[in-house]
Amino acid sequence: MNDDRLADIVAQNAAFVVHVDASGQLLATAECTVALLGYPAAYLAQVSLRDLVMPEHVAELDDLMALAASSGTLQKAVIPFLRAEDGCYWLDLSVRPAQNSGDKSEPRFDVFGYDVTSWVRKERQLRDESRRDPLTGMSNRAHLREWMIESIDNGVASGKAFAVMMLDLDGFKRINDSLGHDIGDALLRAVGKRLKAQLHENDVFARLGADEFVLVAGPLDETDTWDRLAARIVAAMQRPFSVGGQQLRVTVSIGIALYPEDGLKSSQLLKHADLAMYSAKDRGKNQFVFYSSDLEKVKAEAFSLEQDMLSGIRTGEFELHYQPIVDARTREVLAAEALMRWNHPDGQRPPTAFIPLAEDNGLINLLGSWALRMVCAQLARWDACGISLAYVGVNVSPVQFQNPAFSQSVMSAVRESGIDPGRLVLEITEGTLIKNPEQTEAILSRLHAFGVRFAIDDFGTGYSNLSYLRRFPISEIKIDRSFVSDILESGHDRAIVSAMLSLARELDLSVVAEGVETEDQLAILIERECQYIQGWLFSKALPPEDFEHFVATQVVVSPKGRGRGSLFRIF
């Protein structure tokens, strides 16, 4: 290259300017390049361009020059160059075939570039921040997915397995709601540090959000196993955390999916680990569960049932049956309990199959509100046709009871039907009473003032905190069938039932004994002055028209097959 041409290139104010041959040997170097890299000019005259590039980027430079040679056009790339003393410079590099090269058989190139080091570093910083959870500083969901894809590729190449563990804190929401988000955030940071202390050097630990974390654990040594690692994490979390001057306790539920047997894609592994984690929750929390295809089957069946439930609500497959509550001595029908039934096209589904699912997916609020309206309307219809009942009891789910619209739905159902509010008895469990005592008391007081009455269902099987009988406006207790079923053989059960009846008399509460199936059971209850009875000795739960026949004749009519058109519709 002649001096005029070199001066012309330098005049373009490029920070890096060299002229090289096909092998990359430096044939001419501008002074600004010497200053930029910090190498003596004599050294640069003896080396090739490849010697100045970071070793891991040499192939990229070779490709760039080959493309420029084959295309005959300018080619660009951002490539790091070594400095003489420290680090490197990132150059926005341009390579183009030299114009008017004397020997066409030996192509030469003009190479020039601009220093973009600060831009590259800023970009990397922003990228790193975008892959980090701002609260805990650990990886976030985006980084996790990147790493998992890379791990899967490496796993295919090396045949090494790894585990994906989904971790969710048990009880975190209560702490967050009670003590505030500042304490909750501090606890999450402390949890993150403790969990990371259990990991191996090459493991990746990420926070997905809220109190959910994911661990991708690489291959273990011969002395360790996945279940041992999970057990260590569970044990570590059981120790209290010192946060904000308080000793806080949370536990962890872990679901584990293994590569490659539980999935070959990151989405599959995360899904299966999540499924196993929820299984750990369902089994009592504070434990770990490995994924199995059986969990997938259960999940699929639950999803299918949920879809069927949505369809059944719209097409009127749900109905209410009524079980008589009778006077123990006279056997006169005095009241009834409304029980929900689902006439699924493939056969009737018991409440134990669909009520927990409805509570989980929120449909219980819709079903519960519908049941209240139907019960009140049914009472009004029976009044009109001369069937007079003291009341009808309706079971109330704890989820339904905590719904902000619950009180209004009860009062609206009563007002629409025109019945006396006192003829609607809401049956709630002891667990519902203690879940949030202040909120419970407010709801009960409001509805009690409106005139609705309350019964404690399954009395004696829950927390049995007798102070609640004094604190809350309860008018009735229902002795659980578990005490009645063994009342003949168990002296303990007879003593418990006697104590319940005595307590109810002292507190002026009505008592209904549930699950009465034999005359001998009835005789013992009458002997102990139990007034009201409910059970198969008298009748199972019946559709409205069969209940009416039973009241009139005391004869149970076996329900005939009924089409959907005869059912009460929710919509």
Side-chain angles (χ1 to χ4, degrees):
M1 179 183 292
N2 58 45
D3 294 341
D4 291 340
R5 179 166 177 73
L6 182 58
D8 180 60
I9 295 175
V10 173
Q12 298 180 44
N13 296 320
F16 181 88
V17 182
V18 295
H19 184 62
V20 301
D21 62 16
S23 67
Q25 191 70 29
L26 274 63
L27 304 176
T29 304
E31 291 184 6
C32 57
T33 303
V34 175
L36 174 68
L37 298 180
Y39 296 108
Y43 170 76
L44 293 177
Q46 301 174 20
V47 299
S48 73
L49 197 61
R50 302 171 85 250
D51 296 323
L52 302 177
V53 173
M54 295 287 285
E56 60 268 29
H57 291 268
V58 169
E60 187 178 351
L61 174 65
D62 291 342
D63 292 343
L64 184 67
M65 294 187 66
L67 186 58
S70 63
S71 66
T73 60
L74 177 73
Q75 300 297 322
K76 303 187 70 175
V78 177
I79 297 176
F81 277 66
L82 290 162
R83 297 184 65 193
E85 295 184 1
D86 59 334
C88 69
Y89 270 147
W90 285 85
L91 299 180
D92 186 0
L93 204 66
S94 299
V95 178
R96 68 181 179 186
Q99 300 296 321
N100 301 320
S101 179
D103 188 352
K104 298 296 184 182
S105 63
E106 294 184 8
R108 297 183 178 185
F109 302 89
D110 295 329
V111 182
F112 51 94
Y114 296 92
D115 178 14
V116 291
T117 303
S118 61
W119 173 78
V120 170
R121 288 175 177 170
K122 185 64 176 177
E123 182 184 46
R124 289 190 166 189
Q125 178 185 350
L126 292 174
R127 185 187 175 202
D128 184 64
E129 290 175 355
S130 72
R131 299 160 78 223
R132 295 286 166 185
D133 172 50
L135 177 63
T136 62
M138 63 181 60
S139 297
N140 62 11
R141 186 185 297 268
H143 185 207
L144 173 72
R145 288 191 178 277
E146 291 177 14
W147 194 93
M148 286 186 67
I149 291 172
E150 180 181 348
S151 297
I152 289 175
D153 292 341
N154 291 341
V156 171
S158 65
K160 293 182 179 179
F162 63 86
V164 177
M165 298 187 180
M166 187 77 68
L167 302 88
D168 189 86
L169 302 184
D170 307 321
F172 175 76
K173 186 177 185 302
R174 289 194 300 273
I175 292 175
N176 215 26
D177 293 344
S178 302
L179 302 179
H181 290 280
D182 289 343
I183 295 295
D185 289 348
L187 177 60
L188 288 174
R189 287 190 288 268
V191 166
K193 290 180 181 178
R194 184 175 295 181
L195 290 175
K196 288 181 70 174
Q198 306 301 317
L199 309 184
H200 297 84
E201 181 179 357
N202 295 324
D203 295 341
V204 169
F205 192 46
R207 177 178 176 237
L208 297 189
D211 59 337
E212 193 169 58
F213 301 83
V214 170
L215 162 64
V216 182
L220 300 175
D221 57 43
E222 296 180 355
T223 63
D224 211 352
T225 59
W226 305 122
D227 54 347
R228 287 178 184 172
L229 173 59
R232 287 200 302 271
I233 294 174
V234 170
M237 289 297 297
Q238 290 174 348
R239 301 193 304 270
F241 291 87
S242 180
V243 178
Q246 302 184 63
Q247 296 294 305
L248 304 179
R249 292 181 180 273
V250 291
T251 56
V252 66
S253 295
I254 304 176
I256 307 171
L258 301 179
Y259 173 85
E261 54 260 47
D262 294 335
L264 298 177
K265 296 182 179 180
S266 59
S267 58
Q268 287 179 312
L269 292 166
L270 287 169
K271 174 186 174 184
H272 291 164
D274 190 61
L275 189 61
M277 183 270 290
Y278 277 106
S279 177
K281 292 275 191 185
D282 293 340
R283 297 181 190 186
K285 307 178 182 179
N286 191 31
Q287 59 184 289
F288 61 89
V289 171
F290 282 88
Y291 168 80
S292 72
S293 57
D294 290 341
L295 297 179
E296 193 80 22
K297 181 180 179 182
V298 171
K299 189 73 173 180
E301 290 175 349
F303 178 77
S304 176
L305 191 64
E306 182 177 42
Q307 297 304 303
D308 289 349
M309 187 183 299
L310 288 167
S311 175
I313 289 173
R314 295 187 181 95
T315 57
E317 293 173 5
F318 288 86
E319 67 176 344
L320 293 178
H321 288 191
Y322 296 85
Q323 185 170 33
I325 297 174
V326 305
D327 185 293
R329 294 184 180 276
T330 67
R331 307 196 180 201
E332 177 187 2
V333 177
L334 301 176
E337 178 183 355
L339 299 167
M340 194 172 295
R341 296 292 184 261
W342 180 9
N343 295 305
H344 190 278
D346 295 333
Q348 192 171 91
R349 295 289 189 268
T352 52
F354 67 84
I355 292 297
L357 180 61
E359 290 178 329
D360 186 57
N361 61 26
L363 287 176
I364 193 65
N365 294 311
L366 178 62
L367 288 170
S369 179
W370 166 80
L372 287 168
R373 296 198 313 273
M374 291 302 100
V375 164
C376 293
Q378 185 64 67
L379 266 172
R381 281 193 288 272
W382 280 335
D383 287 345
C385 66
I387 298 176
S388 180
L389 297 178
Y391 68 87
V392 173
V394 182
N395 290 286
V396 177
S397 159
V399 175
Q400 180 189 0
F401 188 81
Q402 298 298 326
N403 189 295
F406 174 68
S407 297
Q408 188 57 49
S409 68
V410 173
M411 292 188 288
S412 295
V414 172
R415 290 186 181 118
E416 290 171 7
S417 67
I419 66 168
D420 182 338
R423 298 176 67 201
L424 177 65
V425 174
L426 303 181
E427 299 185 8
I428 55 181
T429 62
E430 294 169 272
T432 302
L433 291 176
I434 73 160
K435 189 169 186 179
N436 189 332
E438 289 72 23
Q439 180 181 349
T440 298
E441 186 172 18
I443 295 172
L444 294 182
S445 296
R446 182 184 182 193
L447 290 175
H448 178 69
F450 178 71
V452 172
R453 295 187 295 147
F454 301 94
I456 299 181
D457 198 15
D458 303 331
F459 186 74
T461 62
Y463 296 90
S464 299
N465 190 328
L466 299 181
S467 67
Y468 292 138
L469 296 177
R470 178 184 60 188
R471 177 175 180 179
F472 300 130
I474 304 298
S475 62
E476 179 181 291
I477 61 174
K478 303 192 75 173
I479 299 176
D480 186 69
R481 65 181 64 249
S482 63
F483 298 109
V484 174
S485 63
D486 293 332
I487 199 170
L488 298 176
E489 296 81 13
S490 173
H492 288 94
D493 283 349
R494 286 195 298 274
I496 291 172
V497 170
S498 297
M500 290 180 184
L501 291 168
S502 177
L503 176 66
R505 283 192 295 272
E506 292 295 327
L507 296 177
D508 196 25
L509 300 175
S510 297
V511 180
V512 176
E514 297 181 292
V516 179
E517 299 181 0
T518 69
E519 292 288 350
D520 290 337
Q521 292 171 345
L522 176 62
I524 291 178
L525 290 167
I526 292 176
E527 180 184 335
R528 283 158 176 74
E529 300 183 14
C530 180
Q531 292 178 290
Y532 307 113
I533 303 297
Q534 178 180 347
W536 287 6
L537 175 62
F538 303 100
S539 174
K540 298 181 179 181
L542 303 169
E545 56 270 37
D546 292 343
F547 181 88
E548 295 167 9
H549 184 271
F550 177 79
V551 172
T553 65
Q554 299 289 292
V555 176
V556 177
V557 177
S558 299
K560 304 294 191 297
R562 292 181 170 81
R564 297 181 194 172
S566 67
L567 308 180
F568 298 129
R569 295 198 176 193
I570 297 176
F571 295 139

